[in-house]
């Protein structure tokens, strides 16, 4: 039997903890950090912070990869800040591809809603390839940080939605990291074993210099 005095003591102890926050809607006026954005004052939060209406509209796939990602990450959808989740829409025109990329901040689940998508990822130490052709209704998970890709392997437009285990999963496309900046060609050749003409060609296509 616990004495009333001790019970009250523990009650006091536990109530001295910080209050639980229901949410932490992103405050874009304050700097963000590894834990996400600062919280907007609750009095300034509205229902629109918890609603994002952009995922019903097809992204513009008139680009080099014939693909468009429409993110509903914390930046676009402040209500997900601090909640460990977010969503994005993926449009792939015929022949479209999301080139090899990683999301440093979160794992991804991809749901194919229309069309056929060949998707795969590569494990980090064994470099094992996990590859599958996904059809409408299929979902595939891409573990956090691993290189992965999606290719429209059907003859018509494909549509998918991706959910992430982070409000800010991040996106780094390998080809862009290598060929869309000013990393010197010779250094790319040395560090990738690719031929210089191929590097120069890709820099030309992706807007890189050097
Ligand atoms: C799609 O993007 C292309 C290339 O940037 C542009 O020329 C075109 O106007 C855009 N289409 C729409 C519907 O916004």
């Amino acid at each position: 039997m616990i004495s009333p005095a001790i019970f009250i003591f523990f009650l006091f102890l536990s109530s001295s903890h910080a209050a639980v926050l229901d949410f932490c809607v992103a405050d874009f006026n304050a700097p963000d950090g590894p834990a996400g954005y600062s919280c907007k004052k609750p009095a300034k939060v509205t229902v629109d912070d918890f609603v994002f209406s952009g995922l019903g509209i097809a992204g513009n796939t008139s680009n080099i990869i014939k693909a468009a990602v429409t993110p509903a990450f914390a930046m676009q959808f402040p209500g997900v800040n601090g909640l460990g989740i977010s969503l994005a829409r993926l449009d792939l025109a015929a022949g479209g591809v999301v080139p090899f990329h990683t999301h440093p901040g979160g794992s991804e689940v991809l749901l194919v809603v229309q069309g056929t998508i060949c998707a795969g990822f590569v494990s980090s130490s064994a470099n094992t390839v996990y590859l599958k052709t996904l059809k409408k209704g299929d979902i595939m998970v891409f573990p956090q940080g691993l290189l992965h890709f999606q290719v429209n392997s059907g003859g018509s437009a494909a549509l998918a939605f991706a959910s992430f285990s982070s409000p800010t999963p991040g996106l780094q496309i390998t080809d862009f990291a290598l060929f869309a900046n000013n990393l010197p060609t010779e250094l790319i050749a040395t560090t990738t074993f690719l031929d210089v003409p191929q590097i120069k060609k890709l820099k030309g296509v992706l807007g890189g210099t050097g």
Side-chain angles (χ1 to χ4, degrees):
M1 188 64 190
I2 194 164
S3 88
I6 288 176
F7 176 73
I8 287 166
F9 174 69
F10 279 113
L11 194 68
F12 178 74
L13 257 191
S14 60
S15 68
S16 72
H17 289 292
V20 169
L21 283 179
D22 286 334
F23 45 74
C24 176
V25 171
D27 177 0
F28 298 122
N29 295 315
D32 63 340
Y37 293 94
S38 298
C39 310
K40 209 171 167 178
K41 283 196 169 54
K44 298 207 163 171
V45 171
T46 73
V47 66
D48 290 333
D49 290 316
F50 302 108
V51 175
F52 179 82
S53 299
L55 296 191
I57 304 156
N60 187 342
T61 56
S62 299
N63 53 52
I64 185 175
I65 59 175
K66 297 181 182 165
V69 175
T70 308
F73 301 160
M75 182 75 83
Q76 299 82 21
F77 188 19
V80 296
N81 185 56
L83 299 183
I85 52 170
S86 62
L87 210 71
R89 173 185 174 125
L90 170 61
D91 288 281
L92 286 168
V97 53
V98 184
F100 257 118
H101 64 281
T102 72
H103 305 288
S107 298
E108 171 181 347
V109 175
L110 185 81
L111 163 65
V112 178
V113 169
Q114 177 193 314
T116 307
I117 294 175
C118 173
F121 71 87
V122 183
S123 72
S124 68
S125 49
N127 288 300
T128 304
V129 178
Y130 297 90
L131 185 64
K132 190 81 174 179
T133 298
L134 307 172
K135 297 193 161 50
K136 181 178 174 177
D138 291 340
I139 65 174
M140 182 167 178
V141 63
F142 305 92
Q144 179 168 351
L146 298 187
L147 280 166
H148 61 286
F149 60 83
Q150 287 103 16
V151 176
N152 185 343
S153 55
S156 57
L159 171 63
F161 291 90
S163 65
F164 296 89
S165 63
S166 166
T168 49
L171 167 65
Q172 183 170 41
I173 298 177
T174 309
D175 270 1
F176 291 15
L178 287 169
F179 310 115
N181 53 29
N182 60 357
L183 186 58
T185 296
E186 285 304 329
L187 205 44
I188 300 174
T190 303
T191 54
T192 64
F193 307 105
L194 290 170
D195 294 334
V196 165
Q198 180 68 53
I199 295 166
K200 286 192 181 297
K201 182 182 155 197
L202 286 164
K203 275 182 177 286
V205 171
L206 297 176
T209 57

